[in-house]
Amino acid sequence: MKIKSVNLETICGITSKLPENTLPEIAFAGKSNVGKSSLINALMNRKSYARTSSQPGKTQTINFYNINEELYFVDLPGYGYAKVSAEIKAKWGKMIERYLHKSSQLRLVFLLIDIRHEPSENDCIMYNWIVENGFHPVIVATKLDKINRSQVAKHMKVIKTKLEVIPGTPMIPFSAVSKQGRDEIWNLIEELIQPMD
């Protein structure tokens, strides 16, 4: 998809009402610092539109980016960040859950996992939660440039096994540095937002 316009249209805090969008929504979930903003920026062809931060827990809201007036990218708050109080964590969880339940336009959820590490307990909970809400999350294994090429298959297998990924689920290794995986992710998105005949 050629990106003509990007607009951060809605920011929802813990108590905000979710927008009633009429365009398809593509959501991005992942723990703090997994590279969500970097992935979103890479997909949007923008250097730093979604704020990236080396400080985990930066995204504390649900951010809706309007792409080309054709679809929304929905950036969900990062989970599992240790320095945040249990109360705030619980509220973020509620926020994400509410979004998964309530959005009538949500077409696809990308779950981002750091390829270097075995998925955490939070990753497993999130994966199961998305599945229980009726979605089939696509796994994006981020930070691909941080491991040797020869290690990729092994690391992907660890993610697949630990999350107990449903057979047939797309799993895409991605690097924000080299942009490897970007086209595959866009292909999946474009397939899903084709108007139904």
Side-chain angles (χ1 to χ4, degrees), residues 70-82:
E70 285 179 55
L71 72 148
Y72 286 97
F73 281 173
V74 182
D75 186 6
L76 299 171
Y79 54 81
Y81 178 47

Side-chain angles (χ1 to χ4, degrees), residues 23-191:
L23 298 171
E25 294 172 1
I26 309 293
F28 296 86
K31 68 177 174 206
S32 300
N33 236 3
V34 73
K36 271 203 318 307
S37 300
S38 300
L39 171 63
I40 291 170
N41 284 328
L43 291 172
M44 297 192 301
N45 271 342
R46 298 293 188 273
K47 274 270 187 298
S48 54
Y49 201 92
R51 279 185 325 205
T52 55
S53 170
S54 55
Q55 202 182 356
K58 198 76 184 151
T59 306
Q60 300 182 11
T61 49
I62 300 181
N63 298 338
F64 290 81
Y65 296 93
N66 183 326
I67 314 288
N68 290 355
E69 303 293 326
E70 285 179 55
L71 72 148
Y72 286 97
F73 281 173
V74 182
D75 186 6
L76 299 171
Y79 54 81
Y81 178 47
K83 284 195 184 156
V84 172
S85 72
E87 183 192 359
I88 291 180
K89 270 189 212 166
K91 282 183 178 160
W92 285 357
K94 289 253 178 336
M95 226 164 118
I96 296 171
E97 189 173 28
R98 184 177 59 145
Y99 170 70
L100 292 175
H101 275 309
K102 294 261 167 78
S103 168
S104 58
Q105 295 298 331
L106 182 55
R107 297 283 190 275
L108 180 62
V109 181
F110 286 103
L111 178 59
L112 280 63
I113 306 284
D114 187 329
I115 197 166
R116 297 171 299 178
H117 309 297
E118 183 178 276
S120 66
E121 187 189 349
N122 280 320
D123 290 327
C124 296
I125 291 168
M126 192 69 192
Y127 178 77
N128 290 327
W129 211 17
I130 296 167
V131 170
E132 280 159 20
N133 275 288
F135 296 99
H136 294 288
V138 170
I139 307 299
V140 177
T142 59
K143 307 190 190 254
L144 176 62
D145 45 280
K146 307 268 196 229
I147 62 168
N148 288 332
R149 223 170 233 179
S150 58
Q151 300 286 304
V152 174
K154 188 180 94 178
H155 285 258
M156 293 298 278
K157 189 163 187 240
V158 168
I159 293 172
K160 191 176 187 171
T161 307
K162 178 79 183 190
L163 290 180
E164 298 178 4
V165 171
I166 295 164
T169 299
M171 293 181 65
I172 303 172
F174 172 77
S175 162
V177 177
S178 70
K179 308 290 184 280
Q180 186 181 331
R182 180 179 178 269
D183 292 349
E184 285 171 79
I185 293 169
W186 260 123
N187 291 343
L188 282 174
I189 294 171
E190 288 180 333
E191 263 171 48

